[in-house]
Amino acid sequence: MYQYNKQDQILIEERVNEFRGQTQRFLSGELGPDQFRALRLMNGLYVQTHAPMLRVAVPYGLLSSKQLRKLASVARDYDHGYCHFTTRQNVQYNWPELSRVPDLLAELATVQMHAIQTSGNCLRNTSSDHLAGICKDEIEDPRPYCEIIRQWTTLHPEFAFLPRKFKIAVSGATHDRAAVQFHDIGVYLVKNEAGEIGFRILAGGGLGRTPIIGQTVRPFLEKQHLLSYLEAILRVYNLFGRRDNKYKARIKILVKETGLEKFTAMVEKEWLRIKDEMLLTNERIEEMKAQFAPPAYDSSACNDSSFDTHLSADAGFAKWVKYNTVEHKIAGYRGVYLSLKAPDSPPGDMTDKQLEAVADLADQYSFGEIRSTHRQNLVLADVKQADLFTVWQQLDAIKLATPNIGTVTDMICCPGLDFCSLANAGSIGVAKEINEALDDLDYIHDIGDIKINMSGCMNGCAHQSVGHIGILGVDKHGEEWYQITLGGSSENEAAIGERLGPSVPKDQITATITTILDVYVKQRLEDETFLETVKRVGLEPFKERVYANH
């Protein structure tokens, strides 16, 4: 993974010192709340219901074991002993004291971590495929380009105060695991007819209260022009994005109201003006690729026979392997998902002890690296098949081996009313109730790949618009109600879920979800997925059952 140079380190240390002074001036009364707001947001600090919330950047979801141990010590020393992994692969702390946040940031800086641009109207953390570098369907590893983009976006003076927040995602595989089409800019590594690898660039995607699928603005872009083309898109957005209405300020609205053809023409005109001024050289690309060179894989790993023995002898292990591990491009290895969706734990949360135990496992079994996913789980990317049984036992001992990846209990869930000052309804308690209602693992495995995404407000931090089943918390006269959508997807065949009907009260939401699943089981054809069934039969069979007694 990328290692900071001297310039990188100086930058984040100076940022810590700068924010320390700003915080002290605010606490002493020299800065007012409005003046401090923009400063704290640019350093990842929100004001939430109970305490400040700090969002820590995890660039393209990649962490070292050293960084994970630091996250654990920060959770213990500055928070309530845990942290939360988000849908942008970042980490959040919900209980830091404002006066101690500069000290917390100084701690993070010692392991090449920061909170710069994790909030505010700026270029946010670039996200990517959590299986980058190991998946069989990869055209090229996207991480070197993610890091190049990270360095370009960090404290970019022209784009520090955009009309609204701005998010970029990059994928190098044929299967989209990074929700690329729902970002302000989406970048796919692709091959053209001549066999050359370049980029397909999308713009205008996004979730929130107006979910929109991004559209292609350039089908093929040579690698040398990556930064200049992104710069051109940002310049057009910065000039013409709405600043008078925050609900219409995202680039998705600009693209929609301008029209794709005219928007693309504006971008192309700006790009032609600047493209030769900021070329990405082959030398620069190769230098960055060297930072992500494959680890020292054991060529004899494929000769192991103990894995098959354990598979046939232990049904629990076999089930975990089926759901929580994935094929690796190197024979004898597998990628391992760590489920942060145990039935009695808030989705995405990890304790300090779990973080430290995973750091140890990463050092011993996966070259000291860990990845976070946009579905709020972790990945050990490079585990030998011979070590899987031991890894499973150790993960099970710390409640990170629930065999539910890709199942209905692998829910994306935002903090909701429990923490977020923007929320209209709770999420964590509802997720727990749904989990308890679906605690029969055989049942959840039988119904297969169903993604439930649940948000406590329209901001859609939990991507409810693209859940196979989406749940959105709304406020009705001070009471918590929930809207349901069906048929969404953030993968290759991107789709925005359709609203099922009127919202349902909190005490009926779990029964509503189990009813939807029952309808699917009755309606599905052999080997038909939930999404395929919804597309084939439409919403009516689900509506009839859900609203039968209304």
Side-chain angles (χ1 to χ4, degrees), residues 315-325 337-343 377 392 395-396 399-410 438-446 448:
F317 174 62
K319 186 167 286 185
W320 175 80
V321 167
K322 179 179 179 180
Y323 287 94
N324 288 35
T325 74
Y337 284 99
L338 283 60
S339 173
L340 307 189
K341 315 290 176 62
N377 295 304
W392 169 63
L395 288 174
D396 190 49
K399 297 172 67 174
L400 296 177
T402 307
N404 64 346
I405 300 299
T407 73
V408 72
T409 60
D410 182 16
L438 301 172
D439 64 356
D440 183 342
L441 282 176
D442 288 334
Y443 173 71
I444 70 165
H445 291 151
D446 173 65

Side-chain angles (χ1 to χ4, degrees), residues 168-233:
I168 301 173
V170 187
S171 173
T174 58
H175 185 134
D176 184 356
R177 287 172 287 264
V180 171
Q181 296 174 80
F182 289 100
H183 283 73
D184 299 281
I185 291 178
V187 180
Y188 287 113
L189 279 148
V190 294
K191 281 187 179 180
N192 64 11
E193 293 179 355
E196 300 167 320
I197 297 176
F199 305 102
R200 178 159 71 96
I201 309 294
L202 288 72
L207 295 171
R209 64 181 59 237
T210 311
I212 295 177
I213 298 170
Q215 300 182 75
T216 298
V217 291
R218 191 163 184 94
F220 188 84
L221 178 74
E222 293 82 1
K223 289 181 178 180
Q224 65 188 20
H225 296 307
L226 175 63
L227 295 183
S228 61
Y229 206 83
L230 298 185
E231 180 115 357
I233 293 173

Side-chain angles (χ1 to χ4, degrees), residues 399-457:
K399 297 172 67 174
L400 296 177
T402 307
N404 64 346
I405 300 299
T407 73
V408 72
T409 60
D410 182 16
M411 282 180 273
I412 292 180
C413 180
C414 75
L417 270 180
D418 290 280
F419 296 100
C420 183
S421 58
L422 301 175
N424 298 313
S427 298
I428 295 172
V430 175
K432 187 173 187 293
E433 190 176 294
I434 293 172
N435 261 323
E436 289 170 350
L438 301 172
D439 64 356
D440 183 342
L441 282 176
D442 288 334
Y443 173 71
I444 70 165
H445 291 151
D446 173 65
I447 59 178
D449 179 17
I450 301 180
K451 294 178 172 65
I452 296 181
N453 298 355
M454 178 165 47
S455 288
C457 78

Side-chain angles (χ1 to χ4, degrees), residues 58-62 87-89 125-133 138 140-147 149 168-173 175-180 183 187 189 371-375:
V58 181
Y60 37 94
L62 192 58
T87 52
R88 288 203 60 71
Q89 302 175 292
N125 186 42
T126 297
S127 58
S128 190
D129 185 351
H130 51 269
L131 300 182
E138 191 163 77
E140 188 177 320
D141 189 341
R143 293 174 299 174
Y145 305 101
C146 290
E147 178 57 31
I149 292 170
I168 301 173
V170 187
S171 173
H175 185 134
D176 184 356
R177 287 172 287 264
V180 171
H183 283 73
V187 180
L189 279 148
R371 290 108 176 274
S372 57
T373 82
H374 92 275
R375 291 201 64 84

Side-chain angles (χ1 to χ4, degrees), residues 20-32:
R20 188 184 298 280
Q22 292 165 348
T23 303
Q24 288 171 348
R25 296 206 306 278
F26 170 70
L27 292 173
S28 68
E30 293 179 54
L31 290 176

